[in-house]
């Protein structure tokens, strides 16, 4: 599978560990950085390009890592078409894909060890979306809200540019 991975300084060591494991498991990995440990870097600079690549189909799935995983999740979910989940257990790593079509797993390097993180990544990558009618219906509702929210943002941005709120 073609998998993207991204982190900031908070998850750098875990990203490096996961890169080696992914390659050893036969995955094609696209590394969106960080490419060196820099305590001054910011997760949006790496997670946003990963999320855009997932949404555009340039990679099949993504792995976003930061210190807690929360920032990476918030950032990734700002990109239309991304369904990122902060994962802290094996069940959710699998179920998030099967039921919710999760396409980015977010992990906290300061909350997980490398063996547990790898277990979650393996479950995430092995899982397949169920295509069950109830899940398709729910995802369509989520997608319609995403479209509505984006159009509302566009309109309010245009109003601000014209001097009104």
């Amino acid at each position: 599978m073609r998998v993207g991975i991204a982190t900031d300084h908070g998850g750098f060591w875990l990203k490096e560990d996961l890169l080696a494991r992914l390659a050893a498991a036969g995955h094609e990995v696209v590394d969106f950085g960080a490419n060196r440990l820099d305590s001054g870097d910011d997760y949006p600079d790496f997670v946003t390009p990963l999320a855009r690549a997932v949404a555009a189909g340039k990679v099949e799935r993504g792995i976003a890592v930061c210190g807690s995983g929360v920032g990476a999740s918030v950032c990734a979910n700002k990109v239309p078409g991304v369904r990122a989940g902060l994962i802290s257990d094996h069940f959710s790593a699998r179920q998030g894909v099967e039921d919710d079509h999760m396409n980015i797993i977010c992990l906290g390097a300061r909350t997980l060890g490398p063996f547990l993180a790898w277990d979650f990544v393996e479950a995430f990558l092995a899982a397949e979306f169920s295509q069950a009618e109830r899940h398709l219906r729910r995802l369509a509702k989520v997608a319609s809200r995403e479209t509505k929210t984006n159009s509302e943002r566009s309109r309010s941005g245009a109003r601000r540019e014209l001097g009104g709120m």
Side-chain angles (χ1 to χ4, degrees):
M1 181 180 293
R2 186 169 164 87
V3 180
I5 190 166
T7 191
D8 65 355
H9 62 279
F12 184 79
W13 69 269
L14 182 57
K15 184 201 78 155
E16 294 299 305
D17 182 83
L18 292 172
L19 274 171
R21 293 174 190 265
L22 288 161
H27 296 285
E28 179 185 353
V29 184
V30 179
D31 185 351
F32 288 88
N35 296 314
R36 62 185 176 83
L37 185 58
D38 176 1
S39 62
D41 66 15
D42 298 312
Y43 60 82
D45 297 332
F46 309 106
V47 173
T48 301
L50 165 67
R52 287 180 178 150
V54 170
K58 294 179 180 174
V59 294
E60 295 173 66
R61 304 249 177 104
I63 302 165
V65 185
C66 68
S68 67
V70 174
S73 176
V74 169
C75 181
N77 279 310
K78 295 297 183 183
V79 175
V82 167
R83 294 168 305 279
L86 173 58
I87 300 301
S88 59
D89 64 274
H90 181 93
F91 172 80
S92 297
R94 178 185 48 77
Q95 182 270 340
V97 175
E98 292 173 347
D99 293 0
D100 304 309
H101 209 198
M102 180 174 67
N103 51 17
I104 297 180
I105 187 172
C106 300
L107 302 170
R110 295 179 181 143
T111 65
L112 300 172
F115 298 110
L116 196 53
W118 178 240
D119 176 62
F120 298 168
V121 167
E122 284 185 305
F124 167 68
L125 296 177
E128 294 182 21
F129 181 52
S130 70
Q131 300 284 337
E133 186 278 327
R134 70 183 186 277
H135 300 307
L136 291 168
R137 182 183 67 245
R138 293 167 187 162
L139 286 171
K141 289 178 181 182
V142 171
S144 73
R145 284 163 177 78
E146 183 176 81
T147 302
K148 181 179 177 185
T149 300
N150 287 336
S151 66
E152 288 171 352
R153 284 183 186 144
S154 296
R155 283 194 306 274
S156 66
R159 283 194 300 267
R160 277 194 299 275
E161 289 176 16
L162 296 173
M165 290 299 286

